[in-house]
Amino acid sequence: MLWIARWDSRNPTDGQLLYSEGLLSSLDPNGASVEVLATIRDETANIAPLGERTHLAPSRWSRALSLLTPLPSDAVRQRTGAFLHALEAALARHPDAIIFDYYATGWALEAVQAYCASRGDQRPVLVYLSHNHEASLRRTVADQYAGNPAMRLIVRHDAEKAARLEDKLVEAVDIIATNTDEDGALYRAAEPNKQYVTVTPAYSGAERPAGEITEQTARRVIMMGSLLWIAKQENLRRFVAAAHERFSAAGIELLILGRSDPAFLESIEHRSSTVRALGFVENPLPYLYDSRIGLMPDELGGGFKHRVVNYIFNGIPVATIRSQAAGLPLDLDTDLIAAETVDELVDAIVAAIDDLARLNAMAARARAQCDGKFDWVSRGKTLLDAIRSGRHRLTTDSER
């Protein structure tokens, strides 16, 4: 099996990398042999090679120069001569399945399709591993971007290129794997005859053995996760604007942990005296355990939200926009603080912050509902079963 990835997913720092690495690590226990092609990240540049993984240097093209190409900016840095050479060598080893991990790896589709044509009935099963329904997500982000007008045009232009690349992938592959049923339904509306499988993420991080929110727990809302993408930054700006006056009046701190542009974090702190933005910290658990609520404030965005599961398995009740709770085995009305908009979410947080009995009960219910349901090995089996089914369909079709 050949796995074409955007970035080396070891030492993951965001949800996309967690999902990729979790699935990759789950395939070997299920008896699958996988060769991985990926681009080096700064966080993995000095890590020794691991098994059948080839890590290549990124292109030197800047995001600005990507405007001159037909590819979206996410794809430009992966499309290099060295990567294409490594891809051709991997194809010569005749993989039985090829996984395009993330839409940006669609730049490799032309070479893969040429290889498949040369193999005839013996071609591999092609799988698109989606992290979001990119076409709808990126167009929504572009439409609702409230920053510099020139940047909005750039974001819109890049969104259209991303949508075209994803459309080509969806049309070409045999199997579309999504991390929520909701995303699967969006793809199925355009391509009803494809094979679909939902592979929800699992969790292998820290788990708090026991804990309780008490009067001594800081009156703090914590938000964890990478803030490098423009959509994540826009979501946080909206929440801070909505929360500033009410959090200030209620004496609630908003603590932000995660990788981001320092200038962006500084601008967020300047927007509200209730915000403390620490950026990346090596060990976030002490901050997490001294917080009353974990926040997922995204109004823009799709796919499964990994940070929510992180909160749940560490005993922290979750406050989220309702649309962002897809894939969770929870009752949104009792197991979470869930609201339709950020304004409603702010009000719900202020109302709940001192109701310790409710917060502890909510955290306990969510943990109980999630225990035993987030195992990576089972996710790998789900993906492999779908690939084997796809192989059977190809074989059956070729015999007709």
Side-chain angles (χ1 to χ4, degrees):
M1 180 187 305
L2 175 61
W3 189 290
I4 305 172
R6 179 190 179 201
W7 297 109
D8 176 4
S9 57
R10 294 173 299 163
N11 191 18
T13 55
D14 61 32
Q16 288 183 2
L17 295 169
L18 283 167
Y19 188 49
S20 296
E21 186 61 21
L23 281 178
L24 278 169
S25 67
S26 74
L27 296 180
D28 182 68
N30 280 288
S33 176
V34 186
E35 179 176 4
V36 180
L37 300 181
T39 301
I40 295 169
R41 297 161 44 234
D42 290 344
E43 294 85 357
T44 62
N46 297 318
I47 302 177
L50 177 66
E52 295 296 319
R53 299 199 190 192
T54 300
H55 304 125
L56 303 118
S59 164
R60 294 183 179 180
W61 280 68
S62 68
R63 285 188 176 271
L65 287 175
S66 74
L67 293 171
L68 306 177
T69 80
L71 291 173
S73 58
D74 280 345
V76 167
R77 297 199 70 200
Q78 275 65 53
R79 192 185 188 283
T80 65
F83 204 131
L84 188 57
H85 180 74
L87 175 60
E88 291 170 348
L91 293 174
R93 290 185 277 275
H94 304 311
D96 59 357
I98 299 174
I99 292 90
F100 293 89
D101 178 4
Y102 192 63
Y103 89 97
T105 60
W107 70 264
L109 183 60
E110 184 177 351
V112 169
Q113 286 181 306
Y115 167 76
C116 288
S118 74
R119 294 288 291 169
D121 292 345
Q122 300 301 309
R123 76 167 180 86
V125 177
L126 303 184
V127 182
Y128 171 38
L129 182 64
S130 165
H131 292 249
N132 293 292
H133 186 267
E134 298 293 339
S136 60
L137 170 60
R138 289 173 182 272
R139 284 168 174 156
T140 300
V141 170
D143 288 343
Q144 299 194 26
Y145 178 68
N148 183 288
M151 179 58 72
R152 181 177 179 178
L153 290 175
I154 292 172
V155 171
R156 181 70 189 189
H157 180 57
D158 200 65
E160 291 304 319
K161 292 197 291 183
R164 287 194 294 271
L165 184 59
E166 184 179 55
D167 286 345
K168 289 179 181 178
L169 262 179
V170 169
E171 182 180 359
V173 301
D174 306 295
I175 302 169
I176 299 166
T178 61
N179 59 24
T180 66
D181 291 336
E182 289 82 354
D183 279 355
L186 291 173
Y187 290 114
R188 191 177 283 108
E191 292 282 353
N193 297 321
K194 299 290 182 179
Q195 179 182 342
Y196 290 88
V197 60
T198 300
V199 186
T200 56
Y203 184 75
S204 58
E207 294 190 30
R208 192 179 188 180
E212 186 177 5
I213 300 166
T214 69
E215 292 286 353
Q216 285 67 51
T217 306
R219 299 182 73 256
R220 171 188 296 153
V221 175
I222 187 168
M223 195 188 87
M224 299 170 58
S226 172
L227 289 165
L228 295 173
W229 187 32
I230 192 171
K232 298 291 186 184
Q233 295 176 2
E234 188 67 17
N235 284 320
L236 181 55
R237 285 192 191 97
R238 291 175 179 219
F239 184 83
V240 170
H244 168 60
E245 290 187 4
R246 282 168 282 183
F247 274 25
S248 180
I252 300 171
E253 178 187 47
L254 173 59
L255 178 65
I256 300 166
L257 303 182
R259 294 181 187 275
S260 186
D261 174 13
F264 168 73
L265 294 180
E266 184 178 351
S267 72
I268 286 296
E269 286 190 318
H270 285 164
R271 288 169 181 259
S272 175
S273 58
T274 68
V275 173
R276 185 159 58 111
L278 300 184
F280 174 77
V281 296
E282 194 68 38
N283 180 15
L285 294 181
Y287 299 99
L288 188 61
Y289 295 162
D290 193 27
S291 300
R292 297 191 182 189
I293 295 172
L295 178 66
M296 228 309 299
D298 297 8
E299 287 186 303
L300 308 175
F304 189 94
K305 304 306 176 191
H306 297 257
R307 76 182 77 166
V308 172
V309 184
N310 191 4
Y311 297 144
I312 290 170
F313 279 100
N314 283 285
I316 307 299
V318 178
T320 182
I321 299 296
R322 296 180 74 91
S323 64
Q324 303 304 296
L328 293 169
L330 302 176
D331 184 325
L332 272 61
D333 295 316
T334 59
D335 302 336
L336 302 168
I337 300 170
E340 296 290 345
T341 68
V342 290
D343 285 304
E344 293 174 1
L345 189 61
V346 169
D347 287 339
I349 290 171
V350 172
I353 195 75
D354 292 318
D355 190 344
L356 304 187
R358 180 190 174 199
L359 294 179
N360 282 306
M362 190 180 301
R365 280 195 305 269
R367 175 67 180 268
Q369 290 297 321
C370 290
D371 270 341
K373 297 176 182 176
F374 285 87
D375 170 65
W376 277 117
V377 175
S378 67
R379 299 324 195 251
K381 183 178 185 302
T382 298
L383 180 60
L384 288 173
D385 285 348
I387 291 171
R388 292 181 184 117
S389 175
R391 164 55 60 195
H392 178 73
R393 290 177 63 183
L394 281 183
T395 302
T396 301
D397 289 346
S398 68
E399 291 174 350
R400 288 176 180 171

